[in-house]
Amino acid sequence: MDIFAPCFAYHEPALVKAAGIYPYFHTLSASEGPVVTIEGRRVVMLGSNNYLSLTHHPDVLRAAHEAIDRYGTSCTGSRFLNGNLDLHETLETELAEFTGKEAALIFSSGFLANLGAVGLLGTGSDVTLFSADENHASLIDGARMARCRRARIYHDIDDLARQLAHQPAWPNALVVTDGVFSMTGRVANLKAIVDLKKQYGFRLYLDDAHGFGVLGPNGRGTAASQGVSQDIDVAFGTFSKAFASVGGFLAGEAPVIDYMRHKVRTLIFSAALPPSCAAAALAALRLMKRDGALFDELRSKVEFFRQGVNAIGYHTLNSTTPIVPLFVGSETMAFKMCREALEMGIFTTPAIYPAVPMGHALIRTSVMRGHTHDHLQTALDVLAELKKRYPVPDVDPDTLPVAAEMDFAQYLQSQP
Ligand SMILES: Cc1ncc(COP(=O)(O)O)c(C=O)c1O
């Protein structure tokens, strides 16, 4: 059989497009941050990770322009051999200070950082890697690359405690978790994980893509917000969210970072972070450090929106972060609602299996600092209208069973 046969037999996207509810790869022709242009219309962007709205901040724009003037558009090679800039090193020094760690290491994407670092640190036939079930794909793939024993942590700290209790100490274990889970906005109980770490002696790797720049004093992250930064062995962050750029970083003890600087293949064999991206991330970082009001503004917008959504009657999975998930259940319903929201001027994204359990589809909304109250009120009006049109279950999703299959197949078959 032709190994490309699955490609030629893959028709789902075409069917979903024909049904008029395809929600992916929307073409944006302009962006002002909180408002974007799609299909020739300006719509409120309620599906981005631009939490602090720094993508259009004058300091960040200026820094990116100046970096292009000074270094050009690309490093055209890996940092290891020929693309290491003073700008990269300055960013690393300031990130180490920001995270309270001895050293930091930047990558050209967060996915590459997680893939390479978890793949390297977790490797060993005597290593056990405990990974939270809601973890980001880059951690899951890193764990797959690490040829080790893998164990899944189901949803809460009790499950980790139960699994660890099988032996008295775990010096060969790495626990890997997101700080803020990216679909549900749920915050990991790092304090409890650190208590277990003290008892069992494992190493702790934290992906705080959605926590850095959002939670903790001046955005110092989920661990800082729970007072446990010093107990995180490796902290990961991305520049593709609050840092208004692209790229990723790791922070930890100097020998650990130095080891990774020379061993992680996704760093050594991949081109360096472009100068404009490094400069934008550095400018964003400096803004975070000096302007605490950014976080107050974000918090007040999030509070306004969350209260509005709860008042309409959506279940928001008790999220306390700018990620406000709306539980819908049916995948088809989530797609239809996102399509109709877009027609009414609001950009949202559906989250379906495997990002969430089957039959537990969400509409993922996220608030940014630059949203005005008018933007958010418009979004609430649209969501209230959708709640009238669709039978959205107002129950705790944890009480609902996981479905055996997605409900698309039936829906698509019913289409003319
Ligand atoms: C939790 C989490 N980790 C890692 C990543 C990967 O980051 P990047 O966009 O820098 O590749 C993301 C981005 O989607 C994420 O949400």
Side-chain angles (χ1 to χ4, degrees), residues 109-111 114 136 138 178 180 182 207 209-210 236 238 240-241 247:
S109 93
F111 200 106
N114 273 340
H136 188 259
S138 52
D178 284 1
V180 176
S182 56
D207 174 338
H210 299 269
F236 160 91
T238 174
S240 68
K241 308 193 191 303

Side-chain angles (χ1 to χ4, degrees), residues 223-239:
S225 76
Q226 297 181 27
V228 294
S229 295
Q230 290 316 311
D231 299 289
I232 308 299
D233 293 300
V234 177
F236 160 91
T238 174
F239 302 140

